Amino acid sequence: MFFCIGFILVVLLWTGVLQCNGIAARKYAVHGVDVSEYQGEIDWETLAGEDITFAFIKATEGSSYVDPRFSYNWENAAKTELRIGACHFFSFDSSGDTQAENFIQTVPSVQDMLPPVVDVEYYGSYRKNAPDREKTIQELTLLLQSLEDAYQIQPILYITHDTAWLAQVFPTYAYWIRDVYSSPSDAYPAWTFWQYSNRLRLEGYDGEERFIDGNVYIGSEADFAAFGQTN
């Protein structure tokens, strides 16, 4: 009997019917999603009606890659009432200057946009052999400063457990943390956004990935409206 109950719970979690952090996330007033090419063609009017306030949209990786769905997503998401922001996946294998150039050439400013996001997480062989921290700090500093100069707003840093150490180096930045299995712990710095789920099912997209990431903002609706506003 216990095996059957456990199996059912696993299935419900795997299919997205149950969310590990669903109850904890409900206490936050401001919810949003993040998307990439894997959500396929997005009907932004439909998705915007799914009780969300913001959307982060993947734009670039490294010095040359551009998400093939970015232009469509950016243009059409901007037509809705959602507040949107663009994301860059940081590469440990190219310079911060060229990565900034890739993002800036790809992402035009739109009204009320959220600050640029730099996603720093270990990938590929770096999961077992972490990159040199000094080199990472050097190139990341170049990237962050270039983005701040271009958009006149300090970027957001997206981190995982592995890269939470960055908060000691960049203490003044807003952090977007990933923890899809439990509520944020002391392993993370003070955070502004929390990616609490990678298995939400919402209406409005039809890609090879049937799930979409769920996120919350830590403050009130009024706090969110003021967040990231330039003078």
Side-chain angles (χ1 to χ4, degrees):
M1 179 177 178
F2 290 112
F3 172 81
C4 290
I5 293 173
F7 177 76
I8 291 170
L9 286 173
V10 168
V11 170
L12 291 175
L13 288 168
W14 179 253
T15 56
V17 175
L18 290 180
Q19 300 290 325
C20 290
N21 292 322
I23 294 175
R26 285 179 198 163
K27 71 178 184 179
Y28 297 99
V30 182
H31 287 243
V33 295
D34 61 276
V35 304
S36 70
E37 64 176 299
Y38 296 111
Q39 276 70 46
E41 185 166 349
I42 297 175
D43 180 334
W44 280 99
E45 285 294 337
T46 298
L47 185 59
E50 289 286 276
D51 197 26
I52 59 173
T53 304
F54 66 89
F56 286 113
I57 301 170
K58 183 175 181 180
T60 51
E61 290 185 19
S63 297
S64 60
Y65 181 82
V66 176
D67 187 292
R69 301 295 302 178
F70 175 73
S71 291
Y72 171 88
N73 285 334
W74 193 245
E75 178 182 348
N76 287 278
K79 296 175 183 176
T80 71
E81 294 184 357
L82 294 175
R83 194 168 176 205
I84 61 174
C87 303
H88 173 80
F89 190 90
F90 180 77
S91 169
F92 298 104
D93 303 303
S94 57
S95 75
D97 286 335
T98 55
Q99 293 190 62
E101 184 178 351
N102 185 26
F103 185 92
I104 293 165
Q105 289 180 347
T106 302
V107 182
S109 295
V110 297
Q111 185 175 3
D112 200 30
M113 68 185 284
L114 289 163
V117 174
V118 178
D119 177 346
V120 188
E121 55 185 285
Y122 296 156
Y123 55 86
S125 62
Y126 292 119
R127 292 191 180 101
K128 290 186 177 180
N129 300 293
D132 180 77
R133 288 195 177 187
E134 264 189 45
K135 181 66 173 175
T136 297
I137 293 167
Q138 176 184 339
E139 300 304 336
L140 184 56
T141 299
L142 290 173
L143 171 58
L144 293 171
Q145 189 58 60
S146 294
L147 295 183
E148 185 168 350
D149 290 344
Y151 296 94
Q152 293 298 295
I153 187 67
Q154 193 177 64
I156 299 166
L157 278 167
Y158 173 102
I159 58 171
T160 66
H161 281 291
D162 289 336
T163 53
W165 60 269
L166 287 168
Q168 303 299 317
V169 183
F170 302 99
T172 65
Y173 282 74
Y175 282 87
W176 176 11
I177 65 170
R178 171 188 167 85
D179 197 330
V180 299
Y181 297 112
S182 60
S183 297
S185 68
D186 291 340
Y188 285 111
W191 56 272
T192 301
F193 293 92
W194 169 31
Q195 186 184 93
Y196 70 88
S197 176
N198 60 351
R199 305 192 75 78
L200 285 188
R201 295 290 300 273
L202 300 178
E203 297 295 326
Y205 61 95
D206 187 21
E208 62 179 86
E209 175 56 73
R210 59 178 179 162
F211 299 111
I212 195 167
D213 294 337
N215 302 274
V216 294
Y217 172 76
I218 196 169
S220 67
E221 293 180 359
D223 293 335
F224 180 72
F227 172 75
Q229 296 288 1
T230 56
N231 294 327

